[in-house]
């Protein structure tokens, strides 16, 4: 299943689509280097599609935690997804998940200033969750195109 991208990297393998600052190409290339077959890309595909499942499940858990007003759980979920997205180089998703982690810990987006108003923290999580879903949808679409997935 060859990738349908026209651009090629310096070594002739299919290159990542231009994702601006959504995907760190150096980090993602490290994942691609572990593939045995540059056409099939079974290893990296399994990691990426596993992340898709993980992210969608985590977003659902975040929605439930948001409804319950469970800031500590939101912080844990943000931390969890931050790590997974960082592994793949999904920069914007990682940054937004870090904000969710910080808001869930009753802090500002940088994680340095305490926030005593739980409602304010919950509203910030809600806004950031909406943003990260858009960021996620964009990288999901780009990565599915990279893997020549017709559902992209």
């Amino acid at each position: 299943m060859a990738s349908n991208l026209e651009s090629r990297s310096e070594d002739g393998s299919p290159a990542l689509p231009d994702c601006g600052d959504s995907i760190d190409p150096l980090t993602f290339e490290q994942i691609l280097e572990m593939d045995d077959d540059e056409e099939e890309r079974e290893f990296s595909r399994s990691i990426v599609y596993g992340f898709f499942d993980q992210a969608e499940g985590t977003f659902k858990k975040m929605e439930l935690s948001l409804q319950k007003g469970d800031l500590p759980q939101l912080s844990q979920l943000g931390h969890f997804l931050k790590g997974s997205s960082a592994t793949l180089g999904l920069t914007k998703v990682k940054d937004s998940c870090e904000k969710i982690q910080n808001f869930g810990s009753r802090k500002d987006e940088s994680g340095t200033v305490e926030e005593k108003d739980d409602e304010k923290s919950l509203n910030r999580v809600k806004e950031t969750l909406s943003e990260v879903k858009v960021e996620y949808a964009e990288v999901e679409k780009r990565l599915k195109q990279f893997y020549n997935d017709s559902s992209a």
Side-chain angles (χ1 to χ4, degrees), residues 66 71 74 102-108 115-126:
L66 196 55
L71 287 169
L74 287 161
N102 291 335
F103 296 146
S105 295
R106 295 174 173 89
K107 296 184 178 180
D108 69 344
E115 175 56 64
K116 296 188 186 329
D117 184 347
D118 284 0
E119 277 305 309
K120 192 179 239 183
S121 293
L122 288 167
N123 285 332
R124 288 178 175 164
V125 168
K126 185 177 183 178

Side-chain angles (χ1 to χ4, degrees), residues 42-57:
E42 288 179 36
F43 179 78
S44 64
R45 178 189 301 264
S46 70
I47 291 174
V48 168
Y49 280 73
F51 172 78
F52 293 160
D53 292 340
Q54 187 181 76
E56 289 166 18

Side-chain angles (χ1 to χ4, degrees), residues 25-116:
L26 294 176
T27 303
F28 195 75
E29 282 289 334
Q30 290 176 345
I31 303 293
L32 296 178
E33 287 173 7
M34 292 186 253
D35 283 320
D36 290 331
D37 182 338
E38 289 184 2
E39 292 299 317
E40 294 295 320
R41 296 213 177 271
E42 288 179 36
F43 179 78
S44 64
R45 178 189 301 264
S46 70
I47 291 174
V48 168
Y49 280 73
F51 172 78
F52 293 160
D53 292 340
Q54 187 181 76
E56 289 166 18
T58 303
F59 290 148
K60 288 176 185 172
K61 290 177 184 176
M62 285 179 172
E63 290 287 352
L64 290 171
S65 296
L66 196 55
Q67 290 172 7
K68 294 177 184 175
D70 189 345
L71 287 169
Q73 180 66 14
L74 287 161
S75 180
Q76 289 176 354
L77 292 167
H79 176 75
F80 173 72
L81 201 54
K82 175 185 77 172
S84 301
S85 54
T87 300
L88 294 175
L90 308 182
T91 312
K92 284 186 174 183
V93 173
K94 174 193 66 87
D95 291 346
S96 292
C97 288
E98 184 172 17
K99 289 178 188 177
I100 291 171
Q101 177 186 351
N102 291 335
F103 296 146
S105 295
R106 295 174 173 89
K107 296 184 178 180
D108 69 344
E109 74 178 45
S110 69
T112 56
V113 179
E114 293 290 326
E115 175 56 64
K116 296 188 186 329

